Amino acid sequence: MKILGIFRHAKSDWTDARLRDFDRPLNKRGRVGAGVMGKHILEHGVGWRYILASPAVRVTQTIELAGEAAGETPPVTWDRRIYLASSAALIDVLKDQETDPRSILLVGHNPGLEDLIFDLVPDDGSSPLRDVVEDKFPTAAYAVVELDIEHWSDLREGCGRLTHLVRPRDLDPSLGPSLTE
Protein backbone atom coordinates (compact mmCIF):
# COMPACT_ATOMS: atom_id res chain seq x y z
CA MET A 1 0.00 0.00 0.00
CA LYS A 2 1.09 3.57 -0.78
CA ILE A 3 -0.30 6.78 0.69
CA LEU A 4 -0.87 9.93 -1.35
CA GLY A 5 -1.46 13.27 0.32
CA ILE A 6 -3.06 15.94 -1.84
CA PHE A 7 -2.68 19.55 -0.68
CA ARG A 8 -4.05 22.38 -2.80
CA HIS A 9 -2.25 25.71 -2.55
CA ALA A 10 -3.82 28.32 -0.27
CA LYS A 11 -5.88 31.30 -1.46
CA SER A 12 -3.97 33.45 -3.92
CA ASP A 13 -3.93 37.20 -4.49
CA TRP A 14 -5.48 38.53 -7.69
CA THR A 15 -5.00 42.27 -7.01
CA ASP A 16 -2.02 42.80 -9.36
CA ALA A 17 -3.37 42.04 -12.83
CA ARG A 18 0.14 42.51 -14.31
CA LEU A 19 1.46 39.34 -12.65
CA ARG A 20 1.66 36.12 -14.61
CA ASP A 21 -0.51 33.38 -13.12
CA PHE A 22 2.64 31.47 -12.11
CA ASP A 23 3.85 34.47 -10.06
CA ARG A 24 0.70 35.17 -8.04
CA PRO A 25 1.40 35.17 -4.26
CA LEU A 26 -0.95 34.25 -1.44
CA ASN A 27 -3.41 36.79 -0.08
CA LYS A 28 -3.89 37.44 3.65
CA ARG A 29 -6.52 34.71 4.06
CA GLY A 30 -4.27 32.31 2.15
CA ARG A 31 -1.32 32.96 4.46
CA VAL A 32 -3.50 32.25 7.50
CA GLY A 33 -5.03 29.17 5.88
CA ALA A 34 -1.63 27.73 4.95
CA GLY A 35 -0.53 27.94 8.58
CA VAL A 36 -3.73 26.40 9.93
CA MET A 37 -3.46 23.55 7.45
CA GLY A 38 0.26 23.04 8.15
CA LYS A 39 -0.50 22.38 11.81
CA HIS A 40 -3.32 20.02 10.90
CA ILE A 41 -1.21 18.07 8.41
CA LEU A 42 1.47 17.55 11.06
CA GLU A 43 -1.10 16.53 13.71
CA HIS A 44 -2.81 14.12 11.30
CA GLY A 45 0.30 12.01 11.71
CA VAL A 46 1.13 10.56 8.30
CA GLY A 47 4.67 11.91 8.59
CA TRP A 48 5.28 13.23 5.10
CA ARG A 49 8.96 12.93 4.25
CA TYR A 50 8.63 13.29 0.49
CA ILE A 51 6.92 16.30 -1.06
CA LEU A 52 6.36 16.82 -4.78
CA ALA A 53 5.22 20.32 -5.68
CA SER A 54 4.54 22.83 -8.38
CA PRO A 55 7.11 25.65 -8.31
CA ALA A 56 4.43 28.35 -8.70
CA VAL A 57 4.80 31.16 -6.16
CA ARG A 58 1.48 30.44 -4.41
CA VAL A 59 2.53 26.81 -3.90
CA THR A 60 6.01 27.66 -2.62
CA GLN A 61 4.50 30.14 -0.15
CA THR A 62 1.87 27.61 0.96
CA ILE A 63 4.54 25.03 1.72
CA GLU A 64 6.78 27.57 3.46
CA LEU A 65 4.00 28.88 5.72
CA ALA A 66 2.57 25.41 6.41
CA GLY A 67 6.05 24.21 7.35
CA GLU A 68 6.68 27.18 9.65
CA ALA A 69 3.38 26.56 11.45
CA ALA A 70 4.13 22.85 11.77
CA GLY A 71 7.69 23.48 12.90
CA GLU A 72 9.17 21.39 10.07
CA THR A 73 9.38 21.33 6.32
CA PRO A 74 10.59 18.12 4.72
CA PRO A 75 12.65 18.48 1.54
CA VAL A 76 10.60 19.41 -1.51
CA THR A 77 11.08 18.23 -5.07
CA TRP A 78 9.87 21.03 -7.34
CA ASP A 79 8.44 19.73 -10.60
CA ARG A 80 7.26 22.17 -13.28
CA ARG A 81 5.04 19.42 -14.74
CA ILE A 82 2.73 19.80 -11.71
CA TYR A 83 1.92 23.44 -12.51
CA LEU A 84 -1.71 23.44 -13.74
CA ALA A 85 -1.38 19.74 -14.63
CA SER A 86 -4.27 17.49 -15.56
CA SER A 87 -5.00 14.36 -13.57
CA ALA A 88 -3.35 12.23 -16.27
CA ALA A 89 -0.18 14.35 -16.08
CA LEU A 90 -0.15 14.10 -12.28
CA ILE A 91 -0.47 10.31 -12.47
CA ASP A 92 2.51 10.27 -14.84
CA VAL A 93 4.55 12.41 -12.42
CA LEU A 94 3.73 10.05 -9.56
CA LYS A 95 4.49 6.94 -11.65
CA ASP A 96 7.92 8.40 -12.45
CA GLN A 97 9.09 8.37 -8.82
CA GLU A 98 12.26 6.30 -8.74
CA THR A 99 12.84 6.25 -4.98
CA ASP A 100 9.44 4.61 -4.38
CA PRO A 101 8.67 6.21 -0.99
CA ARG A 102 5.81 4.81 1.11
CA SER A 103 4.03 8.16 1.03
CA ILE A 104 4.09 11.29 -1.11
CA LEU A 105 2.53 14.68 -0.38
CA LEU A 106 1.57 16.29 -3.70
CA VAL A 107 1.08 20.06 -3.60
CA GLY A 108 -0.42 21.86 -6.56
CA HIS A 109 -3.48 23.25 -8.28
CA ASN A 110 -7.05 22.61 -9.31
CA PRO A 111 -8.71 21.31 -11.34
CA GLY A 112 -5.96 18.68 -11.65
CA LEU A 113 -5.82 17.74 -7.96
CA GLU A 114 -9.59 17.40 -7.66
CA ASP A 115 -9.73 15.36 -10.87
CA LEU A 116 -6.90 13.17 -9.55
CA ILE A 117 -9.06 12.28 -6.54
CA PHE A 118 -11.97 11.43 -8.85
CA ASP A 119 -9.75 9.27 -11.03
CA LEU A 120 -8.08 7.40 -8.17
CA VAL A 121 -11.13 6.93 -5.94
CA PRO A 122 -14.01 4.94 -7.46
CA ASP A 123 -17.48 6.42 -7.30
CA ASP A 124 -18.88 3.28 -5.68
CA GLY A 125 -19.75 4.48 -2.17
CA SER A 126 -16.56 3.06 -0.63
CA SER A 127 -15.21 6.58 0.12
CA PRO A 128 -18.02 8.81 1.46
CA LEU A 129 -15.66 11.79 1.52
CA ARG A 130 -15.58 11.71 -2.28
CA ASP A 131 -19.01 13.40 -2.27
CA VAL A 132 -17.52 16.34 -0.34
CA VAL A 133 -14.80 16.71 -2.99
CA GLU A 134 -17.48 16.61 -5.68
CA ASP A 135 -19.02 19.66 -4.01
CA LYS A 136 -15.68 21.51 -3.94
CA PHE A 137 -11.98 20.96 -3.24
CA PRO A 138 -11.20 24.52 -2.11
CA THR A 139 -7.88 26.27 -1.73
CA ALA A 140 -5.69 24.79 1.03
CA ALA A 141 -7.79 21.62 1.19
CA TYR A 142 -5.91 18.49 2.25
CA ALA A 143 -6.86 14.93 1.36
CA VAL A 144 -5.29 11.53 1.97
CA VAL A 145 -5.78 8.65 -0.45
CA GLU A 146 -4.68 5.11 0.40
CA LEU A 147 -3.60 3.33 -2.76
CA ASP A 148 -3.80 -0.39 -3.36
CA ILE A 149 -0.43 -0.56 -5.13
CA GLU A 150 3.01 -1.94 -4.34
CA HIS A 151 5.03 0.63 -6.33
CA TRP A 152 4.24 4.12 -7.62
CA SER A 153 4.80 2.82 -11.14
CA ASP A 154 1.68 0.64 -10.58
CA LEU A 155 -0.57 3.69 -10.07
CA ARG A 156 -3.83 3.43 -12.01
CA GLU A 157 -7.34 4.80 -11.98
CA GLY A 158 -9.67 3.36 -9.34
CA CYS A 159 -6.97 1.98 -7.03
CA GLY A 160 -7.56 4.38 -4.12
CA ARG A 161 -9.72 5.05 -1.09
CA LEU A 162 -10.17 8.60 0.23
CA THR A 163 -9.58 8.28 3.97
CA HIS A 164 -9.17 11.88 5.13
CA LEU A 165 -10.32 15.29 3.94
CA VAL A 166 -10.02 18.64 5.70
CA ARG A 167 -10.72 22.12 4.39
CA PRO A 168 -9.44 25.28 6.10
CA ARG A 169 -13.00 26.27 7.09
CA ASP A 170 -13.35 22.94 8.95
CA LEU A 171 -10.62 24.11 11.32
CA ASP A 172 -11.36 27.86 11.35
CA PRO A 173 -14.80 29.04 10.13
CA SER A 174 -13.36 32.48 9.27
CA LEU A 175 -11.43 30.77 6.46
CA GLY A 176 -14.63 29.73 4.69
CA PRO A 177 -16.06 31.38 1.61
CA SER A 178 -16.95 35.02 1.92
CA LEU A 179 -20.03 36.63 0.43
CA THR A 180 -17.86 38.41 -2.16
CA GLU A 181 -16.46 35.21 -3.69
Side-chain angles (χ1 to χ4, degrees), residues 88-143:
L90 293 171
I91 288 173
D92 287 343
V93 167
L94 291 164
K95 288 173 97 171
D96 285 349
Q97 299 314 300
E98 294 178 5
T99 60
D100 214 24
R102 182 181 84 77
S103 61
I104 293 175
L105 179 60
L106 179 65
V107 189
H109 314 267
N110 255 3
L113 292 180
E114 183 174 300
D115 290 343
L116 180 63
I117 293 170
F118 297 147
D119 288 344
L120 294 176
V121 179
D123 188 13
D124 62 3
S126 63
S127 294
L129 293 173
R130 190 179 191 280
D131 294 340
V132 178
V133 176
E134 283 186 18
D135 182 44
K136 187 173 184 183
F137 192 66
T139 52
Y142 167 68

Side-chain angles (χ1 to χ4, degrees), residues 26-147:
L26 298 180
N27 66 15
K28 182 179 178 181
R29 192 170 100 195
R31 290 189 299 273
V32 173
V36 167
M37 294 307 293
K39 287 179 188 175
H40 172 77
I41 291 169
L42 176 69
E43 291 167 359
H44 181 246
V46 172
W48 305 106
R49 296 289 171 245
Y50 193 80
I51 299 175
L52 279 173
S54 161
V57 170
R58 59 193 178 272
V59 174
T60 63
Q61 289 180 338
T62 297
I63 292 171
E64 178 183 334
L65 293 167
E68 286 174 8
E72 65 178 58
T73 303
V76 179
T77 298
W78 306 103
D79 192 325
R80 181 75 181 214
R81 296 177 297 168
I82 297 170
Y83 174 66
L84 302 181
S86 67
S87 173
L90 293 171
I91 288 173
D92 287 343
V93 167
L94 291 164
K95 288 173 97 171
D96 285 349
Q97 299 314 300
E98 294 178 5
T99 60
D100 214 24
R102 182 181 84 77
S103 61
I104 293 175
L105 179 60
L106 179 65
V107 189
H109 314 267
N110 255 3
L113 292 180
E114 183 174 300
D115 290 343
L116 180 63
I117 293 170
F118 297 147
D119 288 344
L120 294 176
V121 179
D123 188 13
D124 62 3
S126 63
S127 294
L129 293 173
R130 190 179 191 280
D131 294 340
V132 178
V133 176
E134 283 186 18
D135 182 44
K136 187 173 184 183
F137 192 66
T139 52
Y142 167 68
V144 177
V145 179
E146 292 180 355
L147 303 165

